[in-house]
Short mmCIF file of all heavy atoms in Angstrom, two decimals:
data_model
loop_
_atom_site.label_atom_id
_atom_site.label_comp_id
_atom_site.label_asym_id
_atom_site.label_seq_id
_atom_site.Cartn_x
_atom_site.Cartn_y
_atom_site.Cartn_z
N VAL A 12 -10.48 10.83 -0.81
CA VAL A 12 -9.07 10.57 -0.89
C VAL A 12 -8.27 11.85 -0.99
O VAL A 12 -7.35 12.13 -0.21
CB VAL A 12 -8.71 9.68 -2.10
CG1 VAL A 12 -7.24 9.55 -2.30
CG2 VAL A 12 -9.36 8.32 -1.94
N PHE A 13 -8.66 12.73 -1.91
CA PHE A 13 -7.93 14.00 -2.07
C PHE A 13 -8.16 14.93 -0.91
O PHE A 13 -7.31 15.79 -0.61
CB PHE A 13 -8.32 14.67 -3.40
CG PHE A 13 -7.69 14.00 -4.59
CD1 PHE A 13 -8.43 13.19 -5.41
CD2 PHE A 13 -6.38 14.21 -4.88
CE1 PHE A 13 -7.85 12.55 -6.49
CE2 PHE A 13 -5.77 13.59 -5.96
CZ PHE A 13 -6.52 12.77 -6.79
N VAL A 15 -8.29 14.02 2.32
CA VAL A 15 -7.36 13.60 3.36
C VAL A 15 -5.96 14.01 2.97
O VAL A 15 -5.13 14.45 3.82
CB VAL A 15 -7.45 12.10 3.64
CG1 VAL A 15 -6.43 11.69 4.70
CG2 VAL A 15 -8.86 11.70 4.05
N ILE A 16 -5.57 13.90 1.68
CA ILE A 16 -4.26 14.34 1.22
C ILE A 16 -4.12 15.83 1.49
O ILE A 16 -3.08 16.31 1.96
CB ILE A 16 -4.08 14.02 -0.27
CG1 ILE A 16 -4.05 12.53 -0.49
CG2 ILE A 16 -2.78 14.66 -0.78
CD1 ILE A 16 -4.06 12.13 -1.95
N ALA A 17 -5.18 16.61 1.17
CA ALA A 17 -5.15 18.07 1.40
C ALA A 17 -4.98 18.39 2.90
O ALA A 17 -4.28 19.34 3.28
CB ALA A 17 -6.42 18.71 0.85
N LEU A 18 -5.63 17.58 3.72
CA LEU A 18 -5.50 17.76 5.18
C LEU A 18 -4.04 17.57 5.61
O LEU A 18 -3.54 18.34 6.42
CB LEU A 18 -6.41 16.81 5.92
CG LEU A 18 -6.36 16.84 7.47
CD1 LEU A 18 -6.78 18.20 7.97
CD2 LEU A 18 -7.27 15.76 8.02
N GLY A 19 -3.39 16.53 5.07
CA GLY A 19 -1.97 16.32 5.35
C GLY A 19 -1.13 17.47 4.90
O GLY A 19 -0.20 17.91 5.58
N TRP A 20 -1.41 18.05 3.71
CA TRP A 20 -0.68 19.20 3.22
C TRP A 20 -0.87 20.40 4.15
O TRP A 20 0.13 21.11 4.48
CB TRP A 20 -1.17 19.53 1.81
CG TRP A 20 -0.30 20.55 1.07
CD1 TRP A 20 0.70 20.30 0.22
CD2 TRP A 20 -0.44 21.95 1.17
NE1 TRP A 20 1.23 21.44 -0.28
CE2 TRP A 20 0.59 22.52 0.31
CE3 TRP A 20 -1.27 22.85 1.85
CZ2 TRP A 20 0.74 23.86 0.14
CZ3 TRP A 20 -1.08 24.21 1.72
CH2 TRP A 20 -0.10 24.71 0.86
N LEU A 21 -2.11 20.67 4.58
CA LEU A 21 -2.37 21.80 5.46
C LEU A 21 -1.69 21.63 6.82
O LEU A 21 -1.17 22.57 7.38
CB LEU A 21 -3.88 21.97 5.64
CG LEU A 21 -4.66 22.46 4.43
CD1 LEU A 21 -6.18 22.36 4.68
CD2 LEU A 21 -4.26 23.89 4.09
N ALA A 23 1.10 19.96 7.31
CA ALA A 23 2.50 20.22 7.12
C ALA A 23 2.80 21.69 7.00
O ALA A 23 3.81 22.18 7.54
CB ALA A 23 2.96 19.49 5.87
N MET A 30 8.13 13.52 9.84
CA MET A 30 7.38 12.28 9.60
C MET A 30 8.26 11.06 9.52
O MET A 30 7.77 9.97 9.19
CB MET A 30 6.64 12.44 8.28
CG MET A 30 5.63 13.59 8.28
SD MET A 30 4.23 13.25 9.36
CE MET A 30 3.39 11.93 8.46
N VAL A 33 7.07 8.27 11.79
CA VAL A 33 5.74 7.83 11.38
C VAL A 33 5.84 6.99 10.11
O VAL A 33 5.20 5.94 10.01
CB VAL A 33 4.83 9.06 11.10
CG1 VAL A 33 3.50 8.64 10.54
CG2 VAL A 33 4.63 9.85 12.40
N ASN A 34 6.68 7.40 9.15
CA ASN A 34 6.82 6.63 7.94
C ASN A 34 7.48 5.28 8.19
O ASN A 34 7.15 4.28 7.57
CB ASN A 34 7.68 7.43 6.93
CG ASN A 34 6.92 8.65 6.38
OD1 ASN A 34 5.71 8.65 6.34
ND2 ASN A 34 7.67 9.66 6.01
N SER A 37 4.81 3.10 9.50
CA SER A 37 3.90 2.73 8.42
C SER A 37 4.49 1.60 7.59
O SER A 37 3.81 0.64 7.25
CB SER A 37 3.59 3.94 7.55
OG SER A 37 2.87 4.90 8.27
N ASN A 100 1.56 5.01 -7.40
CA ASN A 100 1.07 5.23 -6.01
C ASN A 100 -0.07 4.28 -5.67
O ASN A 100 -1.13 4.75 -5.23
CB ASN A 100 0.63 6.71 -5.91
CG ASN A 100 0.97 7.29 -4.55
OD1 ASN A 100 1.24 6.56 -3.61
ND2 ASN A 100 0.91 8.59 -4.45
N CYS A 101 0.15 2.99 -5.84
CA CYS A 101 -0.92 2.03 -5.59
C CYS A 101 -1.12 1.80 -4.11
O CYS A 101 -2.09 1.17 -3.71
CB CYS A 101 -0.61 0.71 -6.26
SG CYS A 101 1.02 0.04 -5.95
N GLY A 102 -0.24 2.34 -3.27
CA GLY A 102 -0.40 2.24 -1.82
C GLY A 102 -1.18 3.43 -1.28
O GLY A 102 -2.38 3.26 -0.92
N ASN A 103 -0.55 4.58 -1.27
CA ASN A 103 -1.19 5.78 -0.72
C ASN A 103 -2.54 6.10 -1.34
O ASN A 103 -3.50 6.45 -0.68
CB ASN A 103 -0.30 7.04 -0.91
CG ASN A 103 1.06 6.90 -0.24
OD1 ASN A 103 1.85 6.02 -0.62
ND2 ASN A 103 1.32 7.68 0.75
N MET A 104 -2.60 5.99 -2.64
CA MET A 104 -3.81 6.39 -3.37
C MET A 104 -4.63 5.21 -3.88
O MET A 104 -5.89 5.22 -3.84
CB MET A 104 -3.44 7.31 -4.57
CG MET A 104 -4.55 8.16 -5.09
SD MET A 104 -3.98 9.32 -6.35
CE MET A 104 -3.04 10.46 -5.34
N GLY A 105 -3.98 4.19 -4.37
CA GLY A 105 -4.69 3.04 -4.97
C GLY A 105 -5.55 2.27 -3.99
O GLY A 105 -6.69 1.88 -4.34
N PRO A 107 -7.12 3.19 -1.01
CA PRO A 107 -8.43 3.78 -0.67
C PRO A 107 -9.33 3.96 -1.85
O PRO A 107 -10.56 3.81 -1.73
CB PRO A 107 -8.05 5.15 -0.05
CG PRO A 107 -6.66 5.42 -0.53
CD PRO A 107 -6.00 4.10 -0.67
N LEU A 186 -3.29 1.95 8.30
CA LEU A 186 -2.37 2.36 7.28
C LEU A 186 -2.98 3.36 6.29
O LEU A 186 -2.32 4.34 5.86
CB LEU A 186 -1.81 1.16 6.51
CG LEU A 186 -0.81 1.50 5.38
CD1 LEU A 186 0.50 2.05 5.95
CD2 LEU A 186 -0.54 0.28 4.52
N ILE A 187 -4.26 3.11 5.90
CA ILE A 187 -4.82 3.91 4.83
C ILE A 187 -4.86 5.40 5.12
O ILE A 187 -4.28 6.20 4.38
CB ILE A 187 -6.25 3.41 4.49
CG1 ILE A 187 -6.22 1.93 4.13
CG2 ILE A 187 -6.83 4.21 3.37
CD1 ILE A 187 -5.31 1.59 2.95
N PRO A 188 -5.48 5.84 6.24
CA PRO A 188 -5.44 7.29 6.54
C PRO A 188 -4.04 7.81 6.76
O PRO A 188 -3.72 8.95 6.38
CB PRO A 188 -6.32 7.43 7.76
CG PRO A 188 -6.38 6.07 8.40
CD PRO A 188 -6.26 5.11 7.26
N MET A 189 -3.19 6.96 7.38
CA MET A 189 -1.83 7.42 7.66
C MET A 189 -1.05 7.68 6.38
O MET A 189 -0.31 8.64 6.23
CB MET A 189 -1.11 6.37 8.52
CG MET A 189 0.26 6.82 8.99
SD MET A 189 0.18 8.27 10.07
CE MET A 189 -0.61 7.57 11.52
N MET A 190 -1.22 6.78 5.37
CA MET A 190 -0.50 6.95 4.12
C MET A 190 -1.02 8.22 3.37
O MET A 190 -0.24 8.92 2.73
CB MET A 190 -0.73 5.72 3.24
CG MET A 190 0.03 4.51 3.73
SD MET A 190 -0.11 3.06 2.63
CE MET A 190 1.13 3.47 1.42
N LEU A 191 -2.31 8.46 3.43
CA LEU A 191 -2.83 9.66 2.75
C LEU A 191 -2.32 10.93 3.40
O LEU A 191 -1.94 11.89 2.72
CB LEU A 191 -4.35 9.61 2.74
CG LEU A 191 -5.02 8.57 1.86
CD1 LEU A 191 -6.52 8.55 2.05
CD2 LEU A 191 -4.65 8.78 0.37
N LEU A 192 -2.32 10.95 4.73
CA LEU A 192 -1.79 12.14 5.45
C LEU A 192 -0.31 12.30 5.14
O LEU A 192 0.17 13.44 4.90
CB LEU A 192 -2.01 11.98 6.96
CG LEU A 192 -3.48 12.06 7.43
CD1 LEU A 192 -3.59 11.65 8.90
CD2 LEU A 192 -4.01 13.50 7.26
N SER A 193 0.44 11.22 5.14
CA SER A 193 1.88 11.26 4.86
C SER A 193 2.14 11.76 3.43
O SER A 193 3.10 12.50 3.18
CB SER A 193 2.51 9.89 5.05
OG SER A 193 2.41 9.47 6.42
N LEU A 194 1.27 11.34 2.50
CA LEU A 194 1.45 11.83 1.14
C LEU A 194 1.25 13.33 1.06
O LEU A 194 1.99 14.03 0.38
CB LEU A 194 0.43 11.09 0.23
CG LEU A 194 0.41 11.57 -1.25
CD1 LEU A 194 1.75 11.40 -1.89
CD2 LEU A 194 -0.67 10.78 -2.01
N GLY A 195 0.26 13.84 1.78
CA GLY A 195 0.05 15.27 1.78
C GLY A 195 1.24 16.03 2.35
O GLY A 195 1.64 17.08 1.81
N VAL A 196 1.83 15.50 3.41
CA VAL A 196 3.04 16.10 4.03
C VAL A 196 4.19 16.07 3.01
O VAL A 196 4.89 17.06 2.84
CB VAL A 196 3.40 15.40 5.31
CG1 VAL A 196 4.77 15.92 5.86
CG2 VAL A 196 2.33 15.57 6.37
N ARG A 197 4.37 14.93 2.36
CA ARG A 197 5.48 14.79 1.41
C ARG A 197 5.32 15.75 0.23
O ARG A 197 6.29 16.36 -0.24
CB ARG A 197 5.54 13.34 0.91
CG ARG A 197 6.62 13.11 -0.13
CD ARG A 197 8.01 13.39 0.36
NE ARG A 197 8.44 12.41 1.32
CZ ARG A 197 9.65 12.41 1.90
NH1 ARG A 197 10.52 13.37 1.63
NH2 ARG A 197 9.98 11.49 2.79
N LEU A 198 4.09 15.93 -0.23
CA LEU A 198 3.84 16.87 -1.36
C LEU A 198 4.17 18.27 -0.96
O LEU A 198 4.70 19.05 -1.75
CB LEU A 198 2.40 16.75 -1.83
CG LEU A 198 2.00 15.43 -2.50
CD1 LEU A 198 0.55 15.45 -2.92
CD2 LEU A 198 2.91 15.14 -3.71
N PHE A 199 3.89 18.62 0.26
CA PHE A 199 4.22 19.99 0.78
C PHE A 199 5.71 20.20 0.78
O PHE A 199 6.20 21.32 0.47
CB PHE A 199 3.67 20.18 2.21
CG PHE A 199 4.05 21.50 2.79
CD1 PHE A 199 3.35 22.65 2.52
CD2 PHE A 199 5.14 21.59 3.67
CE1 PHE A 199 3.71 23.88 3.07
CE2 PHE A 199 5.53 22.79 4.22
CZ PHE A 199 4.82 23.97 3.91
N GLU A 200 6.46 19.12 1.08
CA GLU A 200 7.95 19.25 1.20
C GLU A 200 8.64 19.18 -0.14
O GLU A 200 9.82 19.51 -0.24
CB GLU A 200 8.48 18.14 2.11
CG GLU A 200 7.97 18.23 3.53
CD GLU A 200 8.36 17.02 4.38
OE1 GLU A 200 8.76 16.00 3.76
OE2 GLU A 200 8.20 17.07 5.61
N SER A 201 7.90 18.78 -1.20
CA SER A 201 8.55 18.62 -2.52
C SER A 201 8.66 19.97 -3.22
O SER A 201 8.09 20.99 -2.79
CB SER A 201 7.72 17.65 -3.37
OG SER A 201 7.73 16.39 -2.77
N LEU A 247 -2.75 5.45 -11.90
CA LEU A 247 -2.22 6.11 -10.73
C LEU A 247 -0.92 6.86 -10.98
O LEU A 247 -0.16 6.51 -11.85
CB LEU A 247 -2.01 5.07 -9.59
CG LEU A 247 -3.31 4.38 -9.13
CD1 LEU A 247 -2.95 3.19 -8.24
CD2 LEU A 247 -4.20 5.38 -8.40
N PRO A 248 -0.65 7.90 -10.21
CA PRO A 248 0.55 8.74 -10.42
C PRO A 248 1.79 8.07 -9.82
O PRO A 248 1.68 7.02 -9.15
CB PRO A 248 0.21 10.03 -9.67
CG PRO A 248 -0.66 9.55 -8.55
CD PRO A 248 -1.49 8.47 -9.15
N PRO A 249 2.98 8.62 -10.04
CA PRO A 249 4.22 8.04 -9.48
C PRO A 249 4.19 7.97 -7.95
O PRO A 249 3.65 8.84 -7.28
CB PRO A 249 5.34 9.01 -9.93
CG PRO A 249 4.72 9.70 -11.14
CD PRO A 249 3.28 9.80 -10.89
N ALA A 250 4.79 6.90 -7.43
CA ALA A 250 4.77 6.66 -5.99
C ALA A 250 5.83 7.55 -5.29
O ALA A 250 6.89 7.83 -5.85
CB ALA A 250 5.10 5.20 -5.67
N VAL A 251 5.52 7.93 -4.07
CA VAL A 251 6.44 8.72 -3.27
C VAL A 251 7.76 7.92 -3.03
O VAL A 251 8.83 8.51 -2.90
CB VAL A 251 5.79 9.13 -1.91
CG1 VAL A 251 6.79 9.89 -1.03
CG2 VAL A 251 4.56 9.99 -2.18
N LEU A 252 7.63 6.62 -2.97
CA LEU A 252 8.77 5.75 -2.72
C LEU A 252 9.87 5.96 -3.77
O LEU A 252 11.07 5.75 -3.48
CB LEU A 252 8.34 4.31 -2.68
CG LEU A 252 9.35 3.25 -2.18
CD1 LEU A 252 9.79 3.56 -0.77
CD2 LEU A 252 8.75 1.86 -2.23
N MET A 255 12.31 8.44 -2.42
CA MET A 255 13.17 7.87 -1.36
C MET A 255 14.26 7.00 -1.92
O MET A 255 15.42 7.07 -1.45
CB MET A 255 12.26 7.07 -0.38
CG MET A 255 11.19 7.87 0.32
SD MET A 255 10.13 6.85 1.35
CE MET A 255 8.93 8.06 1.91
N VAL A 271 7.25 13.26 -8.85
CA VAL A 271 6.27 12.73 -7.89
C VAL A 271 5.26 13.84 -7.53
O VAL A 271 4.03 13.61 -7.51
CB VAL A 271 6.97 12.23 -6.64
CG1 VAL A 271 5.94 11.90 -5.58
CG2 VAL A 271 7.79 11.00 -7.00
N LEU A 272 5.72 15.04 -7.24
CA LEU A 272 4.84 16.12 -6.83
C LEU A 272 3.84 16.48 -7.95
O LEU A 272 2.64 16.47 -7.71
CB LEU A 272 5.68 17.36 -6.48
CG LEU A 272 4.90 18.66 -6.25
CD1 LEU A 272 3.95 18.54 -5.07
CD2 LEU A 272 5.83 19.83 -6.03
N GLY A 274 3.15 14.85 -10.71
CA GLY A 274 2.35 13.71 -11.09
C GLY A 274 1.19 13.48 -10.16
O GLY A 274 0.03 13.17 -10.63
N ASN A 275 1.38 13.63 -8.88
CA ASN A 275 0.28 13.43 -7.93
C ASN A 275 -0.75 14.60 -8.02
O ASN A 275 -1.93 14.38 -7.74
CB ASN A 275 0.81 13.30 -6.50
CG ASN A 275 1.27 11.90 -6.21
OD1 ASN A 275 0.51 11.04 -5.73
ND2 ASN A 275 2.52 11.62 -6.52
N LEU A 276 -0.29 15.81 -8.35
CA LEU A 276 -1.24 16.88 -8.57
C LEU A 276 -2.07 16.61 -9.83
O LEU A 276 -3.29 16.89 -9.87
CB LEU A 276 -0.49 18.21 -8.67
CG LEU A 276 0.19 18.73 -7.41
CD1 LEU A 276 0.97 20.02 -7.72
CD2 LEU A 276 -0.83 18.96 -6.31
N ALA A 278 -2.93 13.87 -10.89
CA ALA A 278 -3.85 12.76 -10.63
C ALA A 278 -5.29 13.23 -10.50
O ALA A 278 -6.24 12.43 -10.68
CB ALA A 278 -3.44 11.99 -9.37
#
Side-chain angles (χ1 to χ4, degrees):
V12 173
F13 285 103
V15 179
I16 294 172
L18 178 61
W20 191 94
L21 289 171
M30 298 293 289
V33 174
N34 290 333
S37 294
N100 217 344
C101 51
N103 300 65
M104 199 174 291
L186 179 69
I187 304 302
M189 187 62 69
M190 290 184 81
L191 290 175
L192 291 170
S193 298
L194 176 58
V196 173
R197 177 62 70 179
L198 292 180
F199 176 82
E200 296 171 348
S201 298
L247 297 169
V251 177
L252 190 59
M255 299 177 184
V271 171
L272 170 62
N275 278 270
L276 292 177

